[in-house]
Amino acid sequence: MDSSPSFHRRAPDDPSDSPENMVVPDHALPHISFRTPSHGTGTSGAGSSTGSMAGENPTTLHPAMHLSTITPPQPVEPHEMMTPDPNARYIHGDQVHQDCIPKENMVFATEEEGYAFYMQYARAAGFGSKKHKNKAMSRVYACSRQGSSEFYKEAEKRKRGKMSKRIGCMASVKLKLRGKEWFYERVELEHNHTLNPDPCEVKHMRSHKNKHPVMMDYVDGLQHSGVSPNATVNVLTELHGDYGHMLMNARDLENRRAANLRKEQVDDVKKLVTFFNECRAQNPKFYSDIDYDSEGVVKNIFWSHASCQANYAEFKDVVTFDTTYRSNFYRMPLGMFVGSNHHLQNVIFGFALVGDETEETFEWVFRTFQRCMEGKDPICILTDQDQAMANAIRRVFLETIHRLCRWHMLNKHTVELNKLYYLHKGLEEKLLTAVNHPLTPLEFENAWKEMVTEHGLQNDPTLRGLYEHRASWIAAYFKGIFCGTMTSTQRSESTNRMVKRYHVDKSTPLHMFARRMYQMLQRRKDDEGLETVYSQDPPDTKTNYHLEHQLGRIYTRAVFKKYQDAYFAATSFRTKKVDTCNFLVYYGREGPTFSWSQHEFKVVCNEEEEKYTCECRGWEHTGLLCPHLIIVLINEQIQKIPSQYVLRRYSRNAHIDLPYDRNDTVQTGPDGSSLSCRNSDLLSEAFATVQAGRRSTVAYKRAMTVLKELRKQLEEIPADEMPVRGEPATHDEDGHLGTVLKAPPKSKTKGSRTEAGAEQIIGARGPKLCTRLCGNCGLFEGHNAATCTRRQQTFAVGGSSAGRGRGRGRGRGRGRGRGRNEKGKGVMRARRRLLDDVEEEDEDEDEQEKDYEAASETSCESDDSD
């Protein structure tokens, strides 16, 4: 029996409505209207071959079917298909007021008024205009589509699909001088092309784009300040009241920015020297130096403002130095000397743009920095593992301790260390504990020896290389050296990121780069002022302990927060009194099982002799009280600590009196008024005037009349001469010290791309590192789960993959969760890394299979513990 439903086509109610019975008159667009085939609903039943129930209509109309009317798209009119009549003429429409239409013998007081009147008419009529002829006694203003044009490169094809709009339009007016007046001698209003009076179309015509000098200066200011093109459009839209009223588009702003960039790159080095001279005129303490070759080509640049040198005089203990790339047009690496102030904020001591990263270049930078700071070397300097930089530091800073960044040391060997971490369970925890926790060099060496012996890694080249440089980056070798709160070049890294994200990019010329760095210094100074104001508030103490109240009055807010964190950590320790002044401090909870990580810190607390020390040497290293010393002070009820244990660099009064002004520029006028105050007051009144003047026509005309007259009066008033501290620097027209300086070539930095014209390499350069784990086979062989040759595919009904669905994101596979089987347990995945040494030893296939299963079980156990 056929159990499938049967469908029947329903006959139309009116045969005349069927398509075959429709009569379409000649030259008429047929209107097709028909009913869609309606299918009845049928059900299967015994003894009924048609599948319909007894008493039911087998052709019942399906509720989803309806009467459909199909109308084809509207075609163009027949006359639009005809060739345009070359003799057709077009004129303005009714939207143009009669008083705005040019007429012969119209008189104007000046030439500018006659041109402005014609421009107003052209904007309303919907065509562009241009100045066609300019003679002594007459002017001709014509339609922008006047004349004809040919492509100036006859043998080449146009790269842009943009043709000339000149089609010989004769619409124009002739303005002629008669006595002291100008009048329209001839007026031709008819065009041979259609007009575009829509404001959205008129604004794209070149002659009607608003390029007022004041508005363009405002746009230039926005672009120089790093405002994005979209944000610039939003600001101009707000000023004009509506986007349709803004007589510029986004493309115009992009062209303006490109033109300004080309203009700024002209005489770049000369403009840079001019900026340095301006800074030196404002404050003679400003320091700059430019290194150039025999031909005057700039090689290296260094400068430091007065505020930078003042910060160095107060916080010169620890300095970090690092270079970053892609920050200027010439690809010169940027190096900054960065430190930390009393609010634990980043402060910059000096800037350097270098042509390369050789030992000679770094030596020039460090010696210039040394001269700028009057020969005062820092106590400690932190850098990355750059041998050229290390050699230069060793030559210049003779008494400075050079430390390598701990993060860079480990990050440089990430690939090799990850392989070792995978093959040797627990190695990562032991390595990091050995690096961070040992208190003395001997303790570190014993811990390292115990670690490599346990895992059989005495001859591993990666660990051996790290151990050979241990004196430069392991904390145990620097416990007695003051490093502040800095153990890496993270402050330099964060400053570099801020510079490239908010201030400069790879297209910034040198003089604009120096100006942007000055603006960044002012922003950093503003942040410091904000934190100084906040630090004057009463401290937020957590206890009634007198020592906490004492330090809260002295420390800045950020440093006092550090003390409170150490106080909280101190509650996890317990003390054991050895004698009157000696104590043992140990951790009160369960810690790691390594014997050399369970310390009992020896603390000396002698109130009579005012001597407080801890074996961890935290105060000597950071200048802050460690948790071990704090818990002893609490238990011994020490209410005050001597002043020698509170560093001035962390106090609210960290700034010292200097023999020079730490302000980079003069901020006040001759009458003592602030320049920023003048700008703020004028801008407030100007914006208020614009808001009030645009509300009505009368207010607009009144505001324009008053503002124009006011501007003429203000331009006649001479500018104030700002006071200058010291003798202003003389500007050398030829360059630097009589030498014509030339722009530097684009630098070839480390890791940069190949030269122009070289063969392009697609994908990663060099051999595959094979550092990614295949999710299918668990091997490091340079492939992934999609390209794995060992993949076993199973297919469900319909040919779709039965495993994780194609296109599913991570964690959205089928089952109880990602990587879970039907029992909810972690799927056993092999995670082994085949090394050459392992392959040579494991030749037996059965032994390799056992190692494979053991690695899988170990992986599952670690996953479950996580």
Side-chain angles (χ1 to χ4, degrees), residues 763-784:
R765 288 165 172 75
K768 284 190 174 183
L769 298 179
C770 301
T771 59
R772 294 186 178 182
L773 178 73
C774 175
N776 181 62
C777 65
L779 301 179
F780 293 86
E781 292 187 352
H783 64 267
N784 52 32

Side-chain angles (χ1 to χ4, degrees), residues 39-51:
H39 305 309
T41 57
T43 57
S44 60
S48 175
S49 60
T50 61

Side-chain angles (χ1 to χ4, degrees), residues 643-655:
S643 59
Q644 62 263 27
Y645 291 98
V646 180
L647 300 184
R648 184 185 184 91
R649 74 178 334 269
Y650 293 140
S651 67
R652 301 183 182 184
N653 301 321
H655 289 315

Side-chain angles (χ1 to χ4, degrees), residues 789-808:
T789 58
R790 302 174 179 84
R791 181 174 58 176
Q792 296 180 357
Q793 296 183 349
T794 58
F795 297 92
V797 177
S800 61
S801 177
R804 185 176 63 186
R806 181 181 297 273
R808 293 177 181 265

Side-chain angles (χ1 to χ4, degrees), residues 579-708:
D579 54 34
T580 305
C581 300
N582 297 315
F583 302 83
L584 290 179
V585 179
Y586 58 96
Y587 195 66
R589 298 181 180 179
E590 290 188 11
T593 58
F594 311 118
S595 58
W596 39 267
S597 65
Q598 292 289 345
H599 295 295
E600 286 187 344
F601 300 93
K602 299 178 182 179
V603 177
V604 177
C605 180
N606 192 332
E607 186 176 7
E608 295 181 358
E609 298 180 2
E610 296 183 345
K611 182 179 180 181
Y612 305 94
T613 61
C614 179
E615 186 182 10
C616 75
R617 311 192 73 176
W619 185 87
E620 291 82 357
H621 189 62
T622 64
L624 300 174
L625 298 178
C626 63
H628 322 111
L629 188 55
I630 291 177
I631 191 62
V632 173
L633 295 176
I634 295 174
N635 293 342
E636 293 300 309
Q637 298 182 5
I638 304 298
Q639 301 298 318
K640 295 182 179 181
I641 59 174
S643 59
Q644 62 263 27
Y645 291 98
V646 180
L647 300 184
R648 184 185 184 91
R649 74 178 334 269
Y650 293 140
S651 67
R652 301 183 182 184
N653 301 321
H655 289 315
I656 60 178
D657 294 333
L658 298 171
Y660 54 87
D661 191 350
R662 65 190 309 139
N663 294 318
D664 297 324
T665 58
V666 180
Q667 301 294 331
T668 58
D671 57 350
S673 61
S674 172
L675 296 182
S676 60
C677 182
R678 295 181 185 177
N679 291 336
S680 178
D681 294 343
L682 289 174
L683 286 175
S684 300
E685 290 296 331
F687 279 111
T689 303
V690 172
Q691 295 291 337
R694 68 181 185 180
R695 294 185 302 175
S696 64
T697 305
V698 177
Y700 166 75
K701 294 181 178 180
R702 176 61 177 168
M704 291 298 296
T705 303
V706 174
L707 288 177
K708 289 180 179 179

Side-chain angles (χ1 to χ4, degrees), residues 348-367:
I348 303 175
F349 303 139
F351 304 89
L353 289 173
V354 296
D356 52 47
E357 295 176 283
T358 60
E359 184 176 336
E360 293 75 12
T361 299
F362 284 128
E363 183 176 354
W364 179 89
V365 172
F366 294 146
R367 291 195 183 279

Side-chain angles (χ1 to χ4, degrees), residues 442-553:
L442 180 60
E443 188 175 357
F444 165 77
E445 293 171 2
N446 293 335
W448 190 277
K449 182 178 180 181
E450 179 182 342
M451 178 188 65
V452 297
T453 302
E454 179 182 351
H455 295 279
L457 299 173
Q458 295 88 340
N459 297 325
D460 183 79
T462 302
L463 296 181
R464 188 169 61 248
L466 292 174
Y467 184 76
E468 290 175 356
H469 294 87
R470 62 189 182 278
S472 300
W473 67 283
I474 296 297
Y477 292 85
F478 300 95
K479 286 295 184 179
I481 302 171
F482 180 79
C483 295
T485 57
M486 293 183 286
T487 59
S488 66
T489 59
Q490 181 180 0
R491 291 189 178 272
S492 291
E493 299 285 351
S494 61
T495 305
N496 294 340
R497 183 168 57 253
M498 180 186 64
V499 166
K500 293 191 292 185
R501 184 174 182 179
Y502 298 107
H503 299 281
V504 298
D505 53 30
K506 60 183 180 181
S507 63
T508 306
L510 294 179
H511 73 281
M512 288 303 301
F513 183 91
R515 294 181 184 274
R516 299 278 176 81
M517 293 301 98
Y518 170 74
Q519 295 173 3
M520 184 188 67
L521 286 178
Q522 301 307 307
R523 292 183 59 178
R524 303 302 303 173
K525 186 177 180 180
D526 184 73
D527 294 340
E528 179 183 347
L530 178 64
E531 191 64 25
T532 300
V533 173
Y534 284 161
S535 295
Q536 294 175 356
D537 298 340
D540 182 18
T541 56
K542 305 299 182 182
T543 67
N544 291 327
Y545 188 31
H546 188 273
L547 178 60
E548 183 181 9
H549 288 266
Q550 179 191 19
L551 296 179
R553 292 191 304 267

